[in-house]
Amino acid sequence: MSPQDLAAPLFRKLEAIATVPDDDKALLRKLRIATKHLGPGDNLVVAGDKPQFSALLISGMLCRYDVVASGARQIMSFHLPGDIPDLQSVFLRTMDHSVAAIGPATVGLIPHEDLHHVFERSFHLASVMWRETLIDSAIFRQWIGNIGGRTAIVAMAHLLCELVARGLSVGLIDDDMKFRLPLTQQDLADALGLSLVHINRTLRQLRRAGLITWEPGLLTVLDWPGLQAAGDFDPAYLHLIKR
Amino acid sequence: MSPQDLAAPLFRKLEAIATVPDDDKALLRKLRIATKHLGPGDNLVVAGDKPQFSALLISGMLCRYDVVASGARQIMSFHLPGDIPDLQSVFLRTMDHSVAAIGPATVGLIPHEDLHHVFERSFHLASVMWRETLIDSAIFRQWIGNIGGRTAIVAMAHLLCELVARGLSVGLIDDDMKFRLPLTQQDLADALGLSLVHINRTLRQLRRAGLITWEPGLLTVLDWPGLQAAGDFDPAYLHLIKR
DNA sequence: CGCCCTATTGAGGGCCCTCAAAGCTAGTGG
DNA sequence: CCACTAGCTTTGAGGGCCCTCAATAGGGCG
């Protein structure tokens, strides 16, 4: 795969949220990107690491997580192709959480040095990427409200809505509303702070309500407006409209 | 109060996390800052607003919050003097949450235009502020783990630890470990996603364990290491060490 | 003094947890 | 081709953490 192809998911993502002039694209094409493959559950970085690279997700799915004293794994975000989940490590040297693959994934490692160079050369690109990290923040905030203020079934519907809305925005879902997700029910449990058993019962409720079907690796949305209503979902926080 | 005095909490905050050269300080001193006073509960900005200013908190306390469908208020962060909680609105035009005062507060409103000018002139300052928003992100992530993965008493201890650690870093707490906080128990309930009644019982447990005393408006930490242990607290995520 | 907001305590109930066991699917190797 | 294993999913039963409803007490302020 050529460097251009590697950067393609990044362009698609950036153009979903901002306008990217040609000279900025030229700068991005000069980034040195080293491909790396990850197996299911493999850690990309671990809390305490001081990485010299940030990872652009090319295919598959990543999550950020941390482990609390009780031993529970708390997932704080899921990432789709085009995301750079640990972009923060350019400015915060020590990782305060871990990043791992959900299912098999391919990432492109970009040296911090290169990113720093790009940001200094183009304040516009820096601000687009800054904006990117601020949208991450908005997603974290929503996640807090989801876990703290909603019941299991509403929270589950909201989480699925977020994934679908983001998947739609980067073209991962066709009109058939089928979404290939390597998530296990344990992953959902760790994300919502609920038990595996309760996740299973909650998914069954959503299935019986005719909103979704769930097979391992494949989410199908049967009633998109209905799912959004069930999840108290308003996509405004994803800031998908270009400024 | 002169502009220099207004910017003082900002300098203190920035110097807690980074080195700020004199020419950057000069840039910051040129910011137009308009003072505004808020009463308890007053909204600074509301979800859906498109503000033209960002607010530097000068004195008092702010929180970010959102209201979910059930009517519950979910607080996603507390802010201390020196914070700029809605700095994001420079890059994300529409607010996806609200910011309100906890108790009486004074803020300095800074035009987005001025901030943009500063960021373009000094990439170093932009990156320090970017870093600032990334630390906010880290706090959100920790908050997710706190609500999703910890029991009420551990979560409460953790939240208090975070406030104390941040208060210490900006000089709001003396050696006596007494911290003036205008928080009510309802605020803590909205922050932790728990009921007011349970907050009250949880605080009583922490008091009886000899870790803190709690009077309305005044938190006293009796056993700082003990509180950190009770809260499963590791301050690394606050990134208080200068890079 | 009376009002309002906050804090405190009791009692009963529900959402979600833990423990446990069985079914299902895919991959492996004989 | 099929036994075997490992991981994920599904379902049942009982229990605990935290919720809601309710009432009293306390404190600041006009």
Side-chain angles (χ1 to χ4, degrees):
Chain A
M1 221 191 285
S2 74
Q4 270 90 338
D5 295 330
L6 286 176
L10 180 60
F11 289 164
R12 194 157 52 233
K13 175 67 179 296
L14 291 180
E15 296 200 315
I17 62 160
T19 308
V20 185
D22 286 345
D23 50 344
D24 281 345
K25 283 187 185 167
L27 268 179
L28 288 174
R29 288 208 182 86
K30 282 188 212 152
L31 289 172
R32 288 171 290 174
I33 304 181
T35 308
K36 180 174 183 180
H37 296 282
L38 298 169
D42 286 358
N43 281 311
L44 180 63
V45 287
V46 175
D49 281 359
K50 297 179 194 294
Q52 300 295 316
F53 302 86
S54 286
L56 164 66
L57 179 54
I58 294 168
S59 71
M61 203 169 168
L62 300 178
C63 73
R64 312 204 209 194
Y65 74 92
D66 206 357
V67 178
V68 298
S70 64
R73 180 179 74 146
Q74 178 69 51
I75 291 178
M76 294 159 293
S77 63
F78 292 118
H79 292 279
L80 302 178
D83 289 355
I84 308 182
D86 60 345
L87 183 59
Q88 56 149 7
S89 60
V90 175
F91 299 102
L92 298 175
R93 291 288 167 81
T94 307
M95 291 297 293
D96 53 52
H97 62 283
S98 305
V99 179
I102 304 266
T106 307
V107 298
L109 299 179
I110 309 174
H112 285 168
E113 190 187 339
D114 288 24
L115 289 168
H116 223 272
H117 179 72
V118 165
F119 297 155
E120 281 176 326
R121 292 277 296 273
S122 165
F123 175 69
H124 178 254
L125 259 184
S127 64
V128 169
M129 301 289 254
W130 190 345
R131 187 163 185 274
E132 198 52 24
T133 64
L134 291 171
I135 292 174
D136 273 3
S137 257
I139 293 173
F140 292 137
R141 284 192 297 271
Q142 201 68 30
W143 210 286
I144 291 173
N146 211 27
I147 294 177
R150 297 193 175 105
T151 59
I153 187 158
V154 183
M156 171 70 82
H158 192 281
L159 173 56
L160 296 181
C161 283
E162 179 192 307
L163 289 170
V164 169
R166 289 167 60 195
L168 286 169
S169 83
V170 292
L172 283 171
I173 307 177
D174 296 331
D175 291 341
D176 57 5
M177 291 301 272
K178 286 184 183 296
F179 196 2
R180 298 230 152 267
L181 285 171
L183 291 170
T184 66
Q185 295 187 13
Q186 184 64 60
D187 295 324
L188 293 174
D190 292 345
L192 293 174
L194 297 171
S195 71
L196 170 60
V197 172
H198 204 62
I199 290 294
N200 186 278
R201 296 191 217 277
T202 304
L203 278 176
R204 182 173 57 185
Q205 278 189 273
L206 289 176
R207 262 189 273 119
R208 293 198 175 158
L211 298 175
I212 63 164
T213 66
W214 174 271
E215 304 153 60
L218 183 65
L219 167 70
T220 307
V221 180
L222 300 178
D223 179 358
W224 182 217
L227 188 63
Q228 293 181 68
D232 181 22
F233 181 74
D234 175 354
Y237 73 97
L238 294 172
H239 298 271
L240 292 172
I241 294 127
K242 295 187 188 187
R243 52 178 311 204
Chain B
M1 220 190 280
S2 74
Q4 272 88 339
D5 294 331
L6 287 176
L10 179 59
F11 288 164
R12 193 157 52 233
K13 175 67 179 296
L14 292 180
E15 298 202 312
I17 62 160
T19 308
V20 184
D22 286 344
D23 48 347
D24 282 343
K25 283 186 184 165
L27 268 178
L28 288 174
R29 289 207 181 85
K30 282 188 213 152
L31 290 171
R32 288 171 291 175
I33 303 181
T35 308
K36 180 174 183 178
H37 295 282
L38 297 169
D42 287 357
N43 281 312
L44 180 63
V45 286
V46 175
D49 282 0
K50 296 179 193 296
Q52 299 297 317
F53 301 85
S54 286
L56 165 65
L57 180 55
I58 294 167
S59 70
M61 203 168 169
L62 300 177
C63 73
R64 311 204 209 194
Y65 74 93
D66 206 356
V67 177
V68 298
S70 64
R73 181 179 73 147
Q74 177 69 52
I75 291 178
M76 294 159 292
S77 63
F78 292 118
H79 292 279
L80 302 178
D83 289 354
I84 307 182
D86 59 347
L87 182 60
Q88 55 149 7
S89 60
V90 175
F91 299 103
L92 297 175
R93 291 288 167 81
T94 306
M95 291 297 293
D96 54 53
H97 62 283
S98 306
V99 179
I102 303 265
T106 305
V107 297
L109 299 178
I110 308 174
H112 285 169
E113 189 189 339
D114 288 25
L115 289 169
H116 224 272
H117 179 74
V118 165
F119 297 155
E120 280 177 326
R121 290 278 298 270
S122 165
F123 176 70
H124 178 254
L125 259 184
S127 66
V128 170
M129 301 289 253
W130 190 347
R131 187 164 186 272
E132 195 53 23
T133 64
L134 291 171
I135 293 174
D136 273 3
S137 258
I139 293 173
F140 292 137
R141 282 193 297 273
Q142 201 67 32
W143 211 287
I144 290 172
N146 210 27
I147 294 176
R150 297 191 176 107
T151 61
I153 188 160
V154 183
M156 170 71 83
H158 192 281
L159 173 56
L160 296 180
C161 283
E162 179 192 308
L163 289 169
V164 168
R166 290 167 58 196
L168 285 167
S169 83
V170 292
L172 283 170
I173 307 175
D174 295 332
D175 292 341
D176 57 7
M177 290 302 272
K178 286 184 184 297
F179 196 3
R180 298 230 151 266
L181 285 171
L183 291 172
T184 65
Q185 295 187 11
Q186 184 63 59
D187 295 324
L188 293 174
D190 293 344
L192 293 175
L194 299 171
S195 71
L196 170 60
V197 171
H198 204 63
I199 290 295
N200 186 280
R201 296 192 218 276
T202 304
L203 277 177
R204 181 175 56 187
Q205 277 189 274
L206 289 176
R207 261 189 273 119
R208 291 196 178 160
L211 298 174
I212 62 163
T213 67
W214 174 272
E215 304 153 58
L218 184 64
L219 166 71
T220 307
V221 179
L222 299 177
D223 178 358
W224 182 217
L227 188 63
Q228 294 182 68
D232 181 22
F233 182 74
D234 175 354
Y237 74 97
L238 294 172
H239 297 271
L240 292 172
I241 294 125
K242 296 188 193 189
R243 49 181 313 205

